[in-house]
Amino acid sequence: MGLLRGFVFLLVLHLLHRSNTSFVRLNNNGFEDIIIVIDPSVPEDEKIIERIQDMLTTASTYLFEATEKRFFFKNVSILVPEKWKENPQYKRPKYENYKHADVIVAPPVLPGRDEPYTKQFTECGEKGEHIHFTPDFLLGKKQNEYGPSGRLFVHEWAHLRWGVFDEYNEDQPFYSAKSKKIEATRCSTGISGINRVHKCQGGSCLTRTCRVDSTTKLYEKDCQFFPDKVQTEKASIMFMQSIDSVVEFCNEKNHNQEAPSLQNIKCNFRSTWEVISNSEDFKNTKPMVTPPPPPVFSLLKISQRIVCLVLDTSGSMLSHNRLNRMNQAAKQFLMQTVENGSWVGMVRFNSTATILNKLIQIISSNERNTLLEKLPTRAQGGTSICSGIKSAFQVIGELYSQLDGSEIVLLTDGEDNTASSCIDEVKQSGAIVHFIALGKDADKAVIEMSNITGGSHLYASDEAENNGLIDAFGALTSGNAGISQKSLQLESKGLTLSSNAWMNDTVIIDSTVGKDTLFLITWDTLPPSIFLWDPSGTIMGNFTVDAVSKMAYLSIPGTAKVGTWAYNIQAKTNPETLTITVTSRAANSSVPPITVNAKMNKDINSFPSPMIVYAEILQGYVPVLGANVTAFIESQSGNTEVLELLDNGAGADSFKNDGVYSRYFTAYTENGTYSLKVRVHGGTNTARLSLWHPLNRAAYIPGWVVNGEIEANPPRPENNEDTQATLENFSRTVSGGAFVVSQVPSLPLPDLYPPSQITDLDATPHEDEIVLTWTAPGDDFDVGKVQHYIIRTSGSILDLKDRFDDALQVNTTDLSPKEANSKEIFAFKPGNISEENATHIFIAIKSIDKSNLTSKVSNIAQVALFIPQANPDENYTTPIPDKNYTTPIPDKNYTTPIPDKNHHSGINISTLVLSVVGSVVIVSIILSTTI
């Protein structure tokens, strides 16, 4: 049996990579199990389904040709909302739900902003989260602005599946090329077009040549690149796939390494095809000889939730107060987490299984109370997990002929040598298994059941004060319910009191929540005194005390008051462990609540590989910035590491101000299972909504050049400050699931982690100096402080990247490194550049830690040695302005581009020009806040 357990554990380690991620798999060159989910807020329109099918069918052929006959789309599931009317074609989903969506069809992030985009916050070559399309885009209303949907889907799929990035950059649309000309950021440079300012007002339009900004020495802000409608260039799909001739990705031969594209920034100047060719997909396939068949579509309709609790009552549940803690968490799940309209049953198991309650539909508190009364009160005997699961199948099967999409919430604390015997049955059932592991001995085979069925894997240690078990049950909201229906955790906190008898704190209830608000208090020994005040100072009484389960709870009628609620809880014995959990739902179904989703970058890891913690904060689909985010990572022995997560675009955080807060985790203390919990607090005047465009949005086509004339599209909708909502104080607490770590050596751990790569190096000329700024890395990635920096310069960007150690070194004697995530500023006088015909000074940094471990070379900042020439576009004539349009007076702050006749190999400080390659910043607009 030991060998069997070892085999199962290794299999689990392999399969865990798929937990809580996409189910897409590659089978004989075809992508299978693609899940497209239509958001519940989308009004019913069967044309959306037709357009999705047309889009994927066209995309499959385009992808096949673009990848040298390697890949196509084989089968796709489309999940329609529960409120859409019945259709004989609609089947009940199995594991397909919102959590595993590859494509989401939902209203725009902001009204009028229908740009498709891919949620992507990981590194180059790593899979993204999902693609976002709006109904209007799918219905063909935006084709002029974004091009054919099938081609655009391939562009977005490359983001999602292969982790490549755009070959344009809206923050840096132009750059100074080594040809001494201003070029549009693009790949390949064979894409032809003209750079123009095109403005319309009152029915009159003006097109003029672009001026050079006297500060940046690049084209002015309103200048745009208008591609020729008729082209011969075949690349690249990641620049502008809407050009008819474009049928390929940029490759090593035609890739434009000069351009400050996101692909160059994030992928170390590699072409998109190089990244794709290095993927596991590419390595595991060969070109097909015959064309592929069209995709096969399955239409699925969300239906009522069916869930059965399967609870361990073996003898080991008597230790560490496990049985009582299980009942406390199960009661919270039944009272608050499970949604109205759901069908719920209950099974307990030890050596055998017993059905405690058949499926009943939750309509009111009566059904909830019925289930509460059936929770088990005794524990004895051995552990037979398969008996419990098979009894759950029986409970569900009595009401439904098929188990598809039903859920089993399995909690167990012990190993079971026979658990692997029902894995195949679970896999074939169509049911989803959520696994809550209580304590470090919980069976590993059940993790596989959870993984292969698309369920959650959650973990709670025996440390009651961490409130892990209640957090785990609280995380099990419906995967397909609308966000307004879901229970949100505002607070989860615990303390073991010894010298101080009080646990005092506050909870914030913001205006986006307040419905069905529940305060839940638990204790280990004696009922405490509980004092709770609402924001107006009124004391709240009438807590319901459950002395048997050692818990008390208060449900706030109606909608809870917005503001700060205060609580004082006094223990009656010493020592005592107290916990408090506060949950609520959206106050208004038309106003999306603030939500937090937390996860690790992978569910299985081996030392010394680092891990990354992610927490994404949104209101609807709009990122929330400026929040205080703290991660708590607990090992199976109860050791807890606390990390502040940051959205600063440095260290583990890929992009600044995208609402995703990140941090490296390397503080491993033992082998086994770890759990993640994240607490978020947004304070007045600090937290704000980002109304900037989503990262990786599809390129907006401003217009086309046809026979030398610009045929313009309507301008892209701009932000409107008047439509921004106020964001007040808020708090959230979420579980980020569990992960497994192996091969951790005995403590203390060796120093194996270098400083993280600097990714936001910026260079600015100031008089006779160049001023550098960057975010400080740490001794271990983004924690601690580096020992020193090495700064080097070169006249060649590729030499600096590939032969950094041979470049000219800057004297950094006076540069003392700061703590990680601090802002570093350093000024130096540049030396002469040795390279002949050099047009720029390129600057990069490496960081060295106390163990002499060295970081990767930073992003490369550059300073131009010349005033670049504007492209004269000699082959084009400037369109004649509309006679009704008044020509604007030239801006005196702009200068006419004149070639620098006095250029030499040294540096002329008077003509230094700032240009940065490799820094990505997403602009946000701070909202005024009131309470």
Side-chain angles (χ1 to χ4, degrees), residues 12 126 271 322 436 467 515 544 568 705 724 768 804 899 931:
V12 166
E126 297 183 8
S271 69
R322 288 173 178 171
I436 301 176
N467 216 19
K515 184 180 178 182
T544 299
N568 293 349
V705 178
Q724 297 176 9
D768 63 343
F804 177 86
I931 292 184

Side-chain angles (χ1 to χ4, degrees), residues 584-790:
S584 190
R585 284 187 168 84
N588 188 330
S589 60
S590 63
V591 179
I594 297 167
T595 59
V596 180
N597 292 300
K599 70 170 189 174
M600 304 299 294
N601 65 322
K602 46 191 171 182
D603 294 320
I604 176 65
N605 192 44
S606 297
F607 181 88
S609 178
M611 297 189 71
I612 301 176
V613 192
Y614 294 114
E616 183 179 26
I617 312 176
L618 300 170
Q619 183 175 11
Y621 291 99
V622 181
V624 175
L625 313 181
N628 296 316
V629 185
T630 307
F632 301 85
I633 299 175
E634 182 189 5
S635 72
Q636 61 187 22
S637 296
N639 298 313
T640 301
E641 175 75 6
V642 180
L643 291 172
E644 180 188 6
L645 306 187
L646 302 171
D647 186 14
N648 61 354
D653 193 63
S654 294
F655 297 100
K656 185 176 181 178
N657 289 345
D658 64 348
V660 179
Y661 299 71
S662 318
R663 202 71 183 270
Y664 282 107
F665 170 66
T666 59
Y668 309 115
T669 56
E670 60 184 305
N671 292 310
T673 304
Y674 292 69
S675 64
L676 169 65
K677 179 177 179 176
V678 171
R679 301 186 68 180
V680 176
H681 176 77
T684 306
N685 297 323
T686 57
R688 66 257 190 205
L689 293 176
S690 171
L691 299 187
W692 193 241
H693 59 74
L695 189 67
N696 288 329
R697 67 173 174 174
Y700 187 93
I701 307 166
W704 300 97
V705 178
V706 180
N707 297 323
E709 300 280 338
I710 291 177
E711 294 182 357
N713 285 322
R716 185 199 295 267
E718 298 294 336
N719 291 330
N720 183 350
E721 264 189 86
D722 295 334
T723 66
Q724 297 176 9
T726 300
L727 199 61
E728 72 271 29
N729 283 354
F730 70 92
S731 63
R732 299 287 186 274
T733 303
V734 297
S735 170
F739 60 97
V740 178
V741 180
S742 61
Q743 300 181 21
V744 178
S746 300
L747 300 178
L749 299 178
D751 185 0
L752 300 176
Y753 303 112
S756 58
Q757 181 187 26
I758 294 169
T759 56
D760 60 351
L761 178 63
D762 192 11
T764 306
H766 179 68
E767 297 179 350
D768 63 343
E769 293 184 324
I770 296 176
V771 180
L772 303 179
T773 61
W774 67 93
T775 301
D779 179 82
D780 294 336
F781 293 112
D782 53 10
V783 177
K785 183 169 65 174
V786 303
Q787 195 76 8
H788 64 276
Y789 295 108
I790 298 175

